[in-house]
Amino acid sequence: MAQFFELHPDNPQPRLLKQAAALLSQGGVLAVPTDSSYAIACQLDDKSAADRLRQIRQIDDRHHLTLLCRDLSELANYARVDNRQYRLLKSTTPGPYTFILEATREVPRRVSHPSRKTIGLRVPDHAVLQALLEVHGNPLLATTLIDPFDREPLNDPEEIRSRFQSQLAGVIGAGACPHEPTTVVDLTPMGKGDDAVLIRQGRGDASVLGL
């Protein structure tokens, strides 16, 4: 049975954040609000939790998972970023964008793309999620919460609890999120002098990236 945390969307209660972070530290997978839709997240260095995250979404290891980071300085610990890529990242973060970048050795190989050695990274613009990342102290491994039988992401915490209460350790409720996934942009071609590639148009405005 998933534990339900009802948090204020702008001023989340520290006591509840600590309880949610404790579940993550114990290997739990949590539903968390973001500035696009809800996502499911776990600790980066917990193999069992990452396996459960993939099982819930019914995705394989070729599906890019995403690291949720507090800021660009933290992101740079987990991805190789050149000056051109950094300028583009700085202009769009925090925000509803996921960027595909070459993973550093800080990213376990089992969670990066098996052939490309890349990882999705984002800096979310959501007060509750940012507060959770701060309390937890490290990035979280995540993917958009989409029911395997649906095509649209979930944004209602009560519905998430109803559907996934036997699969999740907890649900962080902070009201409804936007009902749209992130815009996904592959920045790896920029490392070879080419342009970024739009993989998925979502909530983030791709035109600000010149795409």
Side-chain angles (χ1 to χ4, degrees), residues 67 79 105 160 205:
L67 284 185
R105 291 182 180 180
I160 292 167
D205 183 1

Side-chain angles (χ1 to χ4, degrees), residues 60-209:
D60 60 25
D61 62 358
R62 303 188 70 82
H63 182 99
H64 267 111
L65 298 177
T66 298
L67 284 185
L68 302 173
C69 300
R70 284 173 283 185
D71 52 36
L72 283 183
S73 63
E74 188 171 68
L75 181 151
N77 291 329
Y78 298 91
R80 293 183 172 87
V81 179
D82 63 23
N83 290 336
R84 189 172 167 223
Q85 292 166 330
Y86 184 83
R87 286 194 296 271
L88 192 149
L89 289 166
K90 190 174 181 180
S91 69
T92 52
T93 56
Y97 299 87
T98 299
F99 297 99
I100 307 300
L101 287 158
E102 183 182 355
T104 67
R105 291 182 180 180
E106 296 298 318
V107 178
R109 294 188 66 177
R110 58 183 167 73
V111 301
S112 61
H113 192 280
S115 60
R116 299 184 60 199
K117 304 301 182 289
T118 50
I119 188 76
L121 295 108
R122 66 175 296 204
V123 180
D125 187 15
H126 193 287
V128 171
L129 182 52
Q130 278 286 348
L132 179 65
L133 290 169
E134 185 68 31
V135 172
H136 182 61
N138 289 293
L140 294 175
L141 188 67
T143 188
T144 303
L145 180 50
I146 302 175
D147 190 302
F149 301 103
D150 290 342
R151 302 182 69 177
E152 298 294 327
L154 294 172
N155 76 330
D156 183 341
E158 293 288 354
E159 182 182 3
I160 292 167
R161 177 166 64 167
S162 175
R163 289 201 199 187
F164 294 95
Q165 60 181 344
S166 64
Q167 297 170 274
L168 297 171
V171 176
I172 296 182
C177 291
H179 201 216
E180 194 172 5
T182 58
T183 291
V184 180
V185 181
D186 188 350
L187 299 187
T188 57
M190 296 179 72
K192 302 174 183 177
D194 296 324
D195 294 328
V197 175
L198 179 65
I199 302 298
R200 179 182 71 195
Q201 176 62 63
R203 186 164 182 254
D205 183 1
S207 67
V208 302
L209 303 167

Side-chain angles (χ1 to χ4, degrees), residues 15-68:
R15 177 180 59 84
L16 297 181
L17 287 169
K18 289 179 182 177
Q19 292 175 10
L23 287 182
L24 290 166
S25 298
Q26 295 161 13
V29 177
L30 271 61
V32 299
T34 80
D35 49 339
S36 53
S37 60
Y38 270 79
I40 48 175
C42 67
Q43 288 198 121
L44 173 61
D45 60 357
D46 192 318
K47 181 182 184 301
S48 295
D51 288 344
R52 283 200 303 279
L53 185 145
R54 285 193 170 107
Q55 289 167 3
I56 293 169
R57 273 290 315 275
Q58 295 186 17
I59 54 178
D60 60 25
D61 62 358
R62 303 188 70 82
H63 182 99
H64 267 111
L65 298 177
T66 298
L67 284 185
L68 302 173

